[in-house]
């Protein structure tokens, strides 16, 4: 029989979501169950009722990308603490879609890779959208951004990001409208204050839901760090993505108070 | 655990015995989230980390003990008045680790 380690290994290698539940306290310490999407659970914690409840919870934790300890009775009872089970989720990497193969794109690809994103660069102009220009990108797509979103938009979720760097209304208006129709967690668009004011007018003219635009679109993209280079701009964009996820104000810790994490 | 997969694969291929230590819970401040993993091979070679360097030495000692006994156990590191000379986290948090032989 294939070991749980080998099943885990092949799932992680193929970017298939998988979770391992391990008894860390109580009877059967060390016992494990591996769960994944579209596969039968493998292993046992030593009690069929406990197994059933933990499999259900592990699938839920995996869907949310969460990792932590849950407590059960010996047969999976809620509100008991006889058995502590550590459920570790191994979700595929978050995705970043970067629209526009411009100067800033290469730097953003590099910083996003450091942060663990699977990065796709998309631009309709084939002379710019090449693997040679963006060797670290996982995928380079020559197409209109909104058409790429029609194909992959339903795979975007709260951990993912769409960065619109085209600053050309012809490309970015349909891309932003299409991105607002997805569940993507972060949506930002580059441009000067003036470009951005014009962009908001165009979005309204093209029928975008302006309440959605105001709550979900970060534009001009990035934190106000005052940097100028593509690398500094990429860091300001990625820092904004992190702050958006954590809900923090992105001020220096030296001027804020309270817990850091 | 993903981050140390290459080392785990290599050790398993060499037939070496390995102990896996994973952060399962933290209280208060702590540099690494649940899921952070460190592994210790039977010759003391180490991969990964479970804190900012505060408890790794103590984890190696626990891991070598587990290699000898075959135990699996929860180990807690953190500052408390009763235990002021024990290994702790300089940040003041508490970290709960689960250590087990990688035999699964």
């Amino acid at each position: 029989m294939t070991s749980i380690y080998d099943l885990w290994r092949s799932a992680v290698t193929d970017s298939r979501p998988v979770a391992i539940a391990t008894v860390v306290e109580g009877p059967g310490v060390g016992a494990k169950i591996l769960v994944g999407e579209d596969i039968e659970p493998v292993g046992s914690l030593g009690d069929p009722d406990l197994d059933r409840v933990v499999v259900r919870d592990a699938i839920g934790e995996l869907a949310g990308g969460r990792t932590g300890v849950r407590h059960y009775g010996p047969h999976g009872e809620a509100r008991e603490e006889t058995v502590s089970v550590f459920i570790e989720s191994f979700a595929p990497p978050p995705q970043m879609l970067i629209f526009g193969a411009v100067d800033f794109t290469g730097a953003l690809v590099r910083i996003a890779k450091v942060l663990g994103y699977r990065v796709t660069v998309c631009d309709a102009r084939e002379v710019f959208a090449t693997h040679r220009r963006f060797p670290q990108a996982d995928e380079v797509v020559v197409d209109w951004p909104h058409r790429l979103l029609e194909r992959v938009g339903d795979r975007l979720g709260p951990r993912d990001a769409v960065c619109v760097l085209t600053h050309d209304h012809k490309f970015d208006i349909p891309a932003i409208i299409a991105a607002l129709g997805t569940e993507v967690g972060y949506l930002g668009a580059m441009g000067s204050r003036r470009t951005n004011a014009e962009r908001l007018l165009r979005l309204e003219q093209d029928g975008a839901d302006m309440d959605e635009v105001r709550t979900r679109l970060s534009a001009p993209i990035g934190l106000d760090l005052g940097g100028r280079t593509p690398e500094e701009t990429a860091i300001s964009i990625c820092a904004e993505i992190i702050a958006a996820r954590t809900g923090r104000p992105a001020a220096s810790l030296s001027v804020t108070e309270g817990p850091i994490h | 655990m993903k981050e140390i997969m290459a080392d785990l694969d290599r050790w398993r291929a060499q037939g070496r015995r390995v102990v896996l230590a994973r952060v399962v819970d933290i209280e208060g401040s702590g540099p690494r989230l649940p899921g952070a993993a460190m592994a210790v091979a039977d010759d003391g070679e180490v991969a990964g980390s479970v804190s900012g360097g505060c408890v790794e030495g103590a984890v190696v000692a626990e891991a070598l003990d587990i290699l000898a006994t075959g135990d699996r156990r929860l180990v807690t590191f953190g500052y408390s008045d009763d235990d002021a000379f024990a290994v702790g986290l300089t940040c003041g948090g508490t970290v709960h680790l689960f250590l087990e032989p990688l035999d699964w």
Side-chain angles (χ1 to χ4, degrees), chain A residues 10-33:
Chain A
S10 69
V12 167
T13 306
D14 301 343
S15 290
R16 280 181 282 118
V18 67
I20 299 177
T22 304
V23 176
V24 295
E25 212 166 22
V29 66
K32 287 182 174 53
I33 293 187

Side-chain angles (χ1 to χ4, degrees), chain A residues 3-6 8-9 12-13 20 22-25 29-32 67-69 84 86 88 90-93 260-261, chain B residues 1-2 4-9 12 22-25 28-31 34-37 72-74 98 100-102 104:
Chain A
S3 71
I4 286 187
Y5 178 86
D6 287 324
W8 166 79
R9 190 191 181 290
V12 167
T13 306
I20 299 177
T22 304
V23 176
V24 295
E25 212 166 22
V29 66
K32 287 182 174 53
T67 287
V69 175
S84 302
F86 177 57
E88 183 168 9
F90 300 90
I260 294 174
H261 298 116
Chain B
M1 199 158 88
K2 272 187 206 176
I4 58 173
M5 190 166 75
D7 292 297
L8 297 178
D9 285 350
R12 282 164 65 93
R22 286 181 287 166
V23 176
V24 299
D25 203 3
S29 196
R72 303 164 186 276
R73 65 175 89 116
L74 272 178
F98 183 66
E100 59 180 338
L102 183 59
W104 37 274

Side-chain angles (χ1 to χ4, degrees), chain A residues 239-259:
Chain A
E240 181 173 67
I241 292 173
I242 296 167
R245 190 192 69 220
T246 60
R248 292 301 187 96
S252 287
L253 287 167
S254 60
V255 299
T256 60
E257 288 179 357

Side-chain angles (χ1 to χ4, degrees), chain A residues 100-208:
Chain A
V102 298
D103 282 354
F104 292 92
T105 308
L108 184 54
V109 171
R110 291 195 298 277
I111 303 294
K113 289 308 294 177
V114 169
L115 293 177
Y117 284 93
R118 185 184 187 281
V119 181
T120 301
V121 174
C122 172
D123 194 305
R125 302 163 301 173
E126 60 185 312
V127 287
F128 295 118
T130 65
H131 258 294
R132 228 172 57 114
R133 291 189 71 209
F134 308 108
Q136 291 194 27
D138 296 280
E139 197 180 4
V140 179
V141 176
V142 180
D143 203 345
W144 281 61
H146 71 277
R147 296 216 310 233
L148 176 67
L149 282 174
E150 283 165 15
R151 292 198 300 277
V152 306
D154 62 354
R155 279 183 249 150
L156 295 175
R159 302 159 64 228
D160 303 321
V162 168
C163 300
V164 181
L165 309 188
T166 42
H167 39 47
D168 177 337
H169 299 316
K170 174 165 86 262
F171 297 114
D172 67 14
I173 299 297
I176 290 166
I177 290 173
L180 288 171
T182 72
E183 301 287 313
V184 75
Y186 176 88
L187 170 62
M190 183 176 271
S192 64
R193 298 267 180 216
R194 185 183 156 147
T195 303
N196 195 53
E198 169 88 17
R199 174 189 290 138
L200 292 174
L201 286 175
R202 299 259 191 136
L203 282 167
E204 190 157 24
Q205 283 165 12
D206 284 15

